[in-house]
Amino acid sequence: MNNELAGLYECFNKDGIALFTDKLIEFINKYEYVFSKFVFKDTLEAIKKFDSIDFYLGTSEDNLEAMVFHYSGQMKKATEEEICYNVIHLIWDIATFMTQEVCPSCQDENLKIASSIDGTKIYKTCDNCLITILNNEFIDRPQEMISATKEQVNKIV
């Protein structure tokens, strides 16, 4: 599992971000029994069904190439829990749409668009201070959120 993920990370190319994302989803599906120990069941079920074509990929200002390269070496000695945490968060970083709207709370980062697991709610959220906004009101951050699809993003941007 470790070497397989490290190899996947080492092949990352931002120009092939859709293929890379789909391979991460395949990795999760292959090791579902491991991910199910550390990831909420509903979140895992939703992410397993992701298809890169449904998302705006790589919209954050993060240097994904540097981040993935940095993680590639760490994954060789990572625990199963660290691997699951890393893959899920990397998918979040790649697939969650970043707006041009600056966080009204911390003024530090642009807001991202996320979805409830069942797709009925669309949130604006900040990865830095963790505020979450639903219908222009601050709310307690839901325990489970996933990346919003293109269709959901288009509804509020």
Side-chain angles (χ1 to χ4, degrees):
M1 183 175 180
N2 296 62
N3 289 333
E4 182 179 346
L5 183 60
L8 177 62
Y9 281 15
E10 288 168 3
C11 294
F12 177 78
N13 176 335
K14 190 167 183 178
D15 294 332
I17 198 166
L19 178 60
F20 178 77
T21 303
D22 289 338
K23 286 186 178 198
L24 288 177
I25 303 304
E26 288 174 17
F27 182 84
I28 289 171
N29 284 314
K30 180 177 181 179
Y31 294 103
E32 177 183 359
Y33 66 94
V34 176
F35 279 84
S36 66
K37 297 180 205 175
F38 306 107
V39 178
F40 291 118
K41 180 183 178 194
D42 291 340
T43 299
L44 182 58
E45 289 303 313
I47 291 174
K48 285 174 27 186
K49 297 175 186 171
F50 274 16
D51 185 339
S52 63
I53 198 164
D54 296 327
F55 298 89
Y56 292 112
L57 302 176
T59 64
S60 75
E61 295 173 356
D62 296 334
N63 182 340
L64 294 173
E65 290 164 328
M67 184 170 47
V68 172
F69 179 76
H70 171 74
Y71 288 136
S72 66
Q74 293 179 356
M75 291 301 101
K76 291 179 182 175
K77 296 182 181 179
T79 65
E80 287 180 342
E81 183 175 10
E82 290 168 333
I83 286 172
C84 294
Y85 177 82
N86 182 271
V87 171
I88 294 297
H89 285 279
L90 183 54
I91 289 172
W92 173 266
D93 288 338
I94 291 171
T96 306
F97 182 82
M98 181 180 279
T99 70
Q100 296 298 314
E101 188 176 341
V102 175
C103 176
S105 179
C106 70
Q107 305 296 310
D108 191 40
E109 296 207 5
N110 293 357
L111 295 176
K112 290 186 175 182
I113 308 297
S115 172
S116 58
I117 298 297
D118 63 6
T120 61
K121 296 178 183 136
I122 304 170
Y123 309 104
K124 291 183 180 180
T125 186
C126 177
D127 282 348
N128 186 50
C129 70
L130 304 179
I131 65 127
T132 304
I133 302 167
L134 176 64
N135 299 324
N136 295 317
E137 292 187 25
F138 292 97
I139 63 167
D140 290 334
R141 190 175 185 95
Q143 193 171 25
E144 297 184 74
M145 288 189 301
I146 57 173
S147 302
T149 63
K150 288 178 183 176
E151 182 179 330
Q152 291 172 310
V153 169
N154 291 339
K155 287 180 182 178
I156 65 170
V157 174

